[in-house]
Amino acid sequence: EAKCQALLSRKQIVSEVFVTFEKESMQREVLATFDVGAINIQQNNCSALPKELLFRGKHVLDVSEASEPNTIRWDDLGCNAFLRVLQRVLTFALTVFIIMGDFFIVKTAFSINLTLGAVVIAVLNFLVPNVFKVINSLESHRHEGSYQASLYIKITLFRWINTAIITAV
C-alpha cells in the first residue's frame, strides 16, 4: 500500500494511456462518444465535446482503439515525435550511404570480372540486411508493424538497387 501511494504522489510524464474494458460493447460506446475527428483533436476544438468529456475541462483527447498488446513496442512509447523523426532521417541517410558504397563496390567488382561482380552482389544481398537490422534497432517505433515496415523498405530499396539498377548501369 505504501509503495503504491509513493508511486501515486510522484509526478509522471504520460505519453499514452491504455484503458481496458470488461465488455467490448462498453469499449465501442466510449470510442463512439469520443470520435470527434482528427481536425477537432488537432485544433483542440472544445466545442466538439460536452465540457464534462474534456480532459481537465479544456483538452480534447485523441481516443482510439489500441493495437494488440504484443504489437506495441513498450520501450519506445516515451520517445517524442521529434526524436523519432530525427532517428529515421539519420538512419535513412546511413542507408543511402551504404547503398552508395555498395554501388562503388559492385561497379569495381564488375570492372574486374563479371563473375566477381555477381559474387559480390550475392554476398552483399546476404550480409547487408543484417546491417540494416542493426541500423533499424536505432530507431524508435511505437508499433512492431512500423518497425517491420521500416526494415522492409531499407532491405527492398537496397536489394532493388543492388540487383536491378547497378547491373543495368
Side-chain angles (χ1 to χ4, degrees):
E1 180 69 28
K3 192 174 183 180
C4 288
Q5 289 300 324
L7 287 172
L8 287 172
S9 65
R10 287 188 351 201
K11 184 173 180 150
Q12 302 288 333
I13 297 172
V14 179
S15 60
E16 289 191 37
V17 175
F18 295 89
V19 179
T20 58
F21 296 89
E22 282 189 39
K23 297 179 181 177
E24 188 173 349
S25 61
M26 297 166 86
Q27 176 193 25
R28 297 287 170 221
E29 183 180 335
V30 168
L31 289 172
T33 302
F34 282 90
D35 184 19
V36 294
I39 293 174
N40 286 323
I41 293 167
Q42 197 173 44
Q43 295 177 348
N44 195 37
N45 181 4
C46 294
S47 63
L49 285 171
K51 187 161 177 68
E52 63 270 8
L53 296 180
L54 297 173
F55 180 65
R56 294 189 176 153
K58 59 183 178 179
H59 299 287
V60 178
L61 293 179
D62 184 3
V63 178
S64 60
E65 186 171 3
S67 300
E68 290 297 319
N70 62 346
T71 65
I72 297 171
R73 297 177 54 89
W74 297 99
D75 292 339
D76 293 344
L77 281 181
C79 183
N80 67 39
F82 174 77
L83 184 58
R84 274 196 312 272
V85 169
L86 180 63
Q87 289 170 341
R88 291 181 190 171
V89 167
L90 292 175
T91 58
F92 181 75
L94 187 55
T95 299
V96 169
F97 179 74
I98 289 171
I99 290 172
M100 288 171 34
D102 167 66
F103 180 84
F104 291 115
I105 291 170
V106 171
K107 283 312 248 181
T108 303
F110 269 119
S111 68
I112 295 170
N113 184 322
L114 287 177
T115 306
L116 178 62
V119 169
V120 168
I121 286 175
V123 168
L124 288 172
N125 276 343
F126 176 74
L127 294 178
V128 173
N130 294 315
V131 173
F132 286 152
K133 287 178 186 174
V134 172
I135 291 171
N136 217 48
S137 70
L138 301 174
E139 297 177 1
S140 296
H141 295 269
R142 293 177 141 191
H143 304 284
E144 190 63 30
S146 172
Y147 176 87
Q148 293 297 330
S150 178
L151 181 60
Y152 175 78
I153 289 168
K154 288 176 181 70
I155 292 173
T156 301
L157 181 64
F158 169 78
R159 285 192 172 156
W160 182 67
I161 290 172
N162 192 39
T163 307
I165 302 297
I166 291 177
T167 56
V169 174

